[in-house]
């Protein structure tokens, strides 16, 4: 029988799955307690009192969308083409040995987390982040769409409309969207790259995309 997060047309189930992913990710942030650069600066200005700094620690927010894939994609396609953000996908395999390690050591790394949050659509940035477990309908759908066979998996996509669509139509919106793959990182070899290097790869791709949009204006 269908379970809570099954069914790609089940928008409420898709939203619940996304909120569950965000809650899981936020718990990892709470465990890691990453110190963002602004907090480091505050610590330095305060004379480096670590105990005082820990007392005033502000937990970063999860950069991933709490909405299902269809609605998250609509957040991207509803923007004008010359200001359309990139879509960052992270597919999580809960049973993979490196799944939790990648979230804690990489996605919760201060530099990478700050890059994603600072470029997030909620902050008028140029990236929308969507994460999903492959045990959910959205996650399995994206796994099939991207042909993912190894984990961890991260990709940056340029979402392009291939025809007219209405913002309120989930099925038609999907049919009128084309994806340009700008960056793809996956598999065990990903765990051999320092988090700072992955941050550089993402930042370079985001910056180049912004330059292309600026040139088209």
């Amino acid at each position: 029988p269908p379970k809570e997060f099954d069914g790609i047309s089940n928008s409420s189930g898709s939203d619940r799955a996304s909120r569950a992913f965000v809650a899981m990710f936020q718990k990892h942030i709470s465990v890691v307690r990453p110190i963002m650069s602004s907090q480091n600066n505050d610590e330095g200005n305060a004379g480096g009192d670590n105990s005082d700094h820990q007392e005033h620690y502000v937990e970063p927010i999860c950069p991933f969308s709490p909405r299902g894939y269809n609605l998250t994609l609509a957040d991207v396609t509803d923007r004008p083409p010359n200001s359309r953000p990139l879509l960052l996908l992270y597919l999580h395999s809960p049973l993979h040995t490196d799944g939790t390690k990648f979230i804690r050591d990489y996605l919760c790394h201060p530099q990478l987390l700050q890059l994603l949050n600072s470029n997030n659509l909620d902050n008028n940035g140029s990236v929308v982040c969507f994460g999903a477990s492959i045990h959910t309908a959205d996650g399995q759908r994206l796994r099939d769409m991207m042909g993912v066979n190894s984990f961890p998996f991260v990709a940056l996509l340029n979402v392009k409309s291939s025809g007219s669509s209405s913002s309120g139509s989930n099925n038609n919106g999907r049919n009128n969207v084309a994806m340009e793959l700008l960056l793809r990182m996956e598999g065990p070899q990903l765990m051999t790259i320092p988090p700072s290097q992955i941050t550089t790869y993402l930042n370079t791709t985001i910056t180049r995309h912004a330059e292309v949009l600026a040139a088209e204006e």
Side-chain angles (χ1 to χ4, degrees), residues 78-99:
D78 283 350
R79 291 273 294 273
N82 62 348
S83 63
R84 187 166 292 169
L86 297 176
L87 177 65
L88 182 139
L89 291 181
Y90 168 64
L91 296 185
H92 181 65
S93 177
L95 301 182
H96 194 278
T97 54
D98 289 329

Side-chain angles (χ1 to χ4, degrees), residues 136-153:
T136 65
D138 278 345
Q140 184 60 50
R141 168 188 170 191
L142 290 168
R143 179 182 186 177
D144 293 342
M145 183 181 79
M146 301 299 298
V148 180
N149 295 311
S150 58
F151 299 90
F153 177 85

Side-chain angles (χ1 to χ4, degrees), residues 3-175:
K3 297 183 179 179
E4 181 183 7
F5 300 147
D6 289 345
I8 60 174
S9 299
N10 180 3
S11 60
S12 61
S14 184
D15 286 349
R16 287 195 301 271
S18 294
R19 290 195 296 269
F21 177 86
V22 168
M24 178 272 293
F25 194 96
Q26 196 68 51
K27 287 181 180 178
H28 286 302
I29 291 178
S30 298
V31 171
V32 176
R33 291 176 65 84
I35 307 298
M36 314 304 273
S37 63
S38 59
Q39 292 175 319
N40 278 325
N41 292 336
D42 292 341
E43 180 183 3
N45 293 336
D49 187 338
N50 188 63
S51 61
D52 181 69
H53 172 66
Q54 291 297 328
E55 182 180 347
H56 292 87
Y57 171 76
V58 177
E59 183 170 286
I61 62 172
C62 172
F64 289 89
S65 172
R67 289 150 52 99
Y69 177 70
N70 286 341
L71 292 178
T72 300
L73 191 63
D75 288 338
V76 176
T77 57
D78 283 350
R79 291 273 294 273
N82 62 348
S83 63
R84 187 166 292 169
L86 297 176
L87 177 65
L88 182 139
L89 291 181
Y90 168 64
L91 296 185
H92 181 65
S93 177
L95 301 182
H96 194 278
T97 54
D98 289 329
T100 297
K101 180 177 175 60
F102 185 75
I103 289 180
R104 291 187 176 181
D105 294 354
Y106 286 77
L107 295 179
C108 288
H109 188 275
Q111 288 182 340
L112 183 48
L113 190 58
Q114 181 157 345
L115 174 69
L116 297 182
N117 274 330
S118 64
N119 283 280
N120 194 278
L121 179 61
D122 289 341
N123 296 323
N124 297 318
S126 54
V127 176
V128 171
C129 301
F130 182 78
S133 165
I134 59 171
H135 295 166
T136 65
D138 278 345
Q140 184 60 50
R141 168 188 170 191
L142 290 168
R143 179 182 186 177
D144 293 342
M145 183 181 79
M146 301 299 298
V148 180
N149 295 311
S150 58
F151 299 90
F153 177 85
V154 178
L156 262 180
L157 300 166
N158 181 19
V159 181
K160 299 180 177 181
S161 297
S162 58
S164 61
S165 63
S166 59
S167 60
S169 174
N170 286 339
N171 292 328
N172 291 338
R174 291 200 305 270
N175 293 335

